[in-house]
Amino acid sequence: MPMIDRSGPKWPHVEERLRTEVVLWLTTVRPDGQPQSSPVWFLWDGAAFLMYSMPSAGKVGNVRANPRVSVHLSDDGRGEDVATFDATAEITADPVKEHDAAYVQKYRQLIADLGYEVERFARAYATGIRIVPTRARMW
């Protein structure tokens, strides 16, 4: 599997955004061939994106059927500061756990704002999705 090119001058800025942005857009493909984009919470670990989903969500079935996905950050509102990634996704059996410190730290307040305790959120969003980028485009 190819690694993304991190040598470009925009990479440090993009990686900083990957560590701080709250929402990433995940595009999967439905069984009828229609691309489906969804905003998701995510954690960038330097090599892959980690996100969690309700097991019955369409994106989970889409990834099971076709692991080729794309993800992107929102632009700056003027079509600039764009970062998109071609990627391969896999479903994991790992729900959010209290000891997933980085994810929980990043989203603890938003989880609470939804009316969840971390443990209840983990039960509801019990399907992990790990996404490894294979190509990055930045402008």
Side-chain angles (χ1 to χ4, degrees):
M1 179 175 305
M3 295 291 294
I4 58 173
D5 180 6
R6 297 167 186 247
S7 64
K10 292 190 179 250
W11 178 252
H13 172 70
V14 168
E15 186 154 44
E16 177 62 24
R17 287 186 67 201
L18 292 174
R19 294 192 187 286
T20 59
E21 298 265 340
V22 175
V23 171
L24 182 79
W25 286 86
L26 168 65
T27 302
T28 60
V29 179
R30 296 187 328 211
D32 66 1
Q34 175 66 47
Q36 181 69 48
S37 296
S38 304
V40 295
W41 292 352
F42 72 101
L43 185 67
W44 170 249
D45 69 8
F49 301 97
L50 177 63
M51 54 197 65
Y52 297 97
S53 178
M54 292 182 167
S56 61
K59 64 182 154 281
V60 173
N62 293 348
V63 167
R64 287 189 199 285
N66 181 355
R68 295 174 64 194
V69 301
S70 65
V71 294
H72 72 271
L73 295 168
S74 294
D75 71 358
D76 65 359
R78 297 181 315 262
E80 299 293 329
D81 202 11
V82 174
T84 68
F85 300 87
D86 296 341
T88 302
E90 74 173 314
I91 302 300
T92 70
D94 303 324
V96 179
K97 297 181 184 79
E98 183 66 42
H99 65 269
D100 292 338
Y103 187 91
V104 171
Q105 179 180 346
K106 184 175 181 179
Y107 292 106
R108 182 179 302 279
Q109 186 58 54
L110 292 172
I111 290 169
D113 290 349
L114 289 175
Y116 285 100
E117 297 292 328
V118 171
E119 296 80 14
R120 191 165 76 88
F121 179 87
R123 285 192 301 275
Y125 290 81
T127 300
I129 304 173
R130 185 171 188 272
I131 298 175
V132 178
T134 56
R135 178 177 177 237
R137 297 182 309 143
M138 298 162 265
W139 64 92

